[in-house]
Amino acid sequence: MTVSMNERALGRVEAMVADAEALGISVRTLDSGARVVDCGAGGLEAGLGFAAVCMGGLGRIDPLPVAVGDRTWPGLFVSADDPAAACLASQYAGWKLEHEKFFALASGPGRALARAEDLFDELAWREEAAHAVLCLETRDDPPAEVVAKVAHRCGIPPDAVTFLIAPTACVCGSVQIAARVVETALHKLHELDVDPARVRYGAGWCPFAPVAGDDGSAIGRTNDAVLYGGTVHLRVDGEDDELADLAAKLPSSASDAFGTPFKDLLKAADWNFYEIDPMLFSPAVVAVTSSESGRTFHGGALAPDVLERSFAR
């Protein structure tokens, strides 16, 4: 590929840094030379910037109101012309970064440069860049050992690495997770053994959750926003019978866990994400249009009662 997601994302980062005071974000350089852009105290605009960086500069994200039942919530519209690249090669939180007490799942285009995940054996995207940009859902700066691991894996010096960080329980956290509504559908397709390269376009809208009082509650609310309030439309190469079947399997309602607030599921699983049915992690509503026949197939339904219970806690 001639387009570098890291270089595109870096341009957006530099624009955020230049407007740091207005965005309510802070910038610091670690002893390792890596840069941290802390978006935890920022608002909607910081969240939109964070999400755009997460997608490697290949997505469009616009704020808009989202109706779920009788309620209307602040939300987002997200779209991508190359969802496999923007959502899976960049936005998906698939790279575990850990050292002693530090743990974070990395999103962003630096993943495509590092190619540390088996997922990249299945994606066509090839990334070349002199810088790496990663997004972490955390309150803590990455330790020197993690920076060194990232730099080594990406084949660049530590001072060429930029980390955007924000906890779950903040406006930026709510916004950037809502912006993953299309990504969850792409990842569910991957779980169903469908080549994501067949998706020619993806669009979705999702409310962003009110900020909770702690990160545990925020993890519940932000996931529920997608699972019970998110809608996605995909244009996919495929025959009608297959796509009709996919439309039935893609929504979160295809899981037996559907209908339970996510925080309750996490508590029952002793806060282990990997114990939760992977078929749950998808939008509430999915529409799939065949790029061959032009027919559209629908699946799922919004769950306003569940979202109301989650957001009211």
Side-chain angles (χ1 to χ4, degrees), residues 181 226-233 251-252 282-287 298-303:
V181 64
V226 176
L227 301 177
Y228 302 115
T231 299
V232 164
H233 192 139
S252 52
S282 47
V285 176
V286 175
H298 302 269
L302 299 176

Side-chain angles (χ1 to χ4, degrees), residues 108-121:
R111 293 175 48 247
L113 193 59
R115 301 184 68 85
E117 306 152 50
D118 292 342
L119 174 63
F120 285 95
D121 294 336

Side-chain angles (χ1 to χ4, degrees), residues 1-303:
M1 293 288 181
T2 57
V3 174
S4 167
M5 291 191 292
N6 281 280
E7 299 300 338
R8 291 175 67 90
L10 186 64
R12 293 177 181 264
V13 172
E14 298 301 353
M16 293 173 69
V17 169
D19 204 24
E21 184 176 359
L23 291 174
I25 65 178
S26 58
V27 184
R28 50 187 173 269
T29 301
L30 305 180
D31 291 342
S32 60
R35 178 172 57 170
V36 170
V37 181
D38 189 339
C39 300
L44 172 62
E45 292 298 326
L48 294 173
F50 192 109
V53 169
C54 246
M55 297 184 77
L58 294 180
R60 181 182 177 97
I61 306 164
D62 297 297
L64 85 170
V66 175
V68 183
D70 295 332
R71 302 282 191 196
T72 299
W73 303 96
L76 304 174
F77 175 79
V78 184
S79 63
D81 289 328
D82 188 350
C87 297
L88 293 186
S90 188
Q91 190 180 25
Y92 174 58
W95 190 11
K96 291 182 183 179
L97 298 179
E98 53 189 328
H99 179 75
E100 295 180 350
K101 294 183 178 181
F102 179 86
F103 175 85
L105 291 172
S107 304
R111 293 175 48 247
L113 193 59
R115 301 184 68 85
E117 306 152 50
D118 292 342
L119 174 63
F120 285 95
D121 294 336
E122 306 173 43
L123 298 177
W125 190 270
R126 295 294 183 271
E127 178 78 4
E128 294 183 6
H131 298 82
V133 182
L134 288 173
C135 302
L136 309 180
E137 192 175 330
T138 180
R139 297 178 182 274
D140 303 317
D141 291 347
E145 292 81 1
V146 167
V147 176
K149 174 183 177 179
V150 168
H152 175 74
R153 186 77 200 201
C154 293
I156 58 176
D159 62 5
V161 180
T162 295
F163 295 96
L164 272 66
I165 68 171
T168 315
C170 70
V171 174
C172 179
S174 288
V175 170
Q176 70 94 3
I177 294 172
R180 296 175 184 271
V181 64
V182 177
E183 177 252 292
T184 59
L186 265 288
H187 190 257
K188 180 74 168 283
L189 279 175
H190 179 261
E191 290 289 318
L192 294 170
D193 295 322
V194 177
D195 183 358
R198 292 171 53 191
V199 184
R200 301 300 181 180
Y201 172 76
W205 43 102
C206 182
F208 57 84
V211 178
D214 60 84
D215 287 330
S217 297
I219 289 171
R221 285 186 179 184
T222 54
N223 277 275
D224 288 337
V226 176
L227 301 177
Y228 302 115
T231 299
V232 164
H233 192 139
L234 305 176
R235 184 170 177 264
V236 183
D237 293 343
E239 297 183 359
D240 288 354
D241 288 347
E242 179 198 12
L243 299 189
D245 185 57
L246 278 179
K249 293 178 177 178
L250 269 176
S252 52
S253 56
S255 168
D256 291 339
F258 182 85
T260 302
F262 192 75
K263 185 177 180 181
D264 293 345
L265 293 173
L266 269 178
K267 284 182 176 179
D270 197 25
W271 294 89
N272 185 349
F273 273 83
Y274 300 101
E275 292 296 319
I276 297 174
D277 180 10
M279 294 296 103
L280 178 68
F281 294 96
S282 47
V285 176
V286 175
V288 182
T289 297
S290 169
S291 60
E292 299 170 14
S293 71
R295 292 186 64 192
T296 299
F297 306 93
H298 302 269
L302 299 176

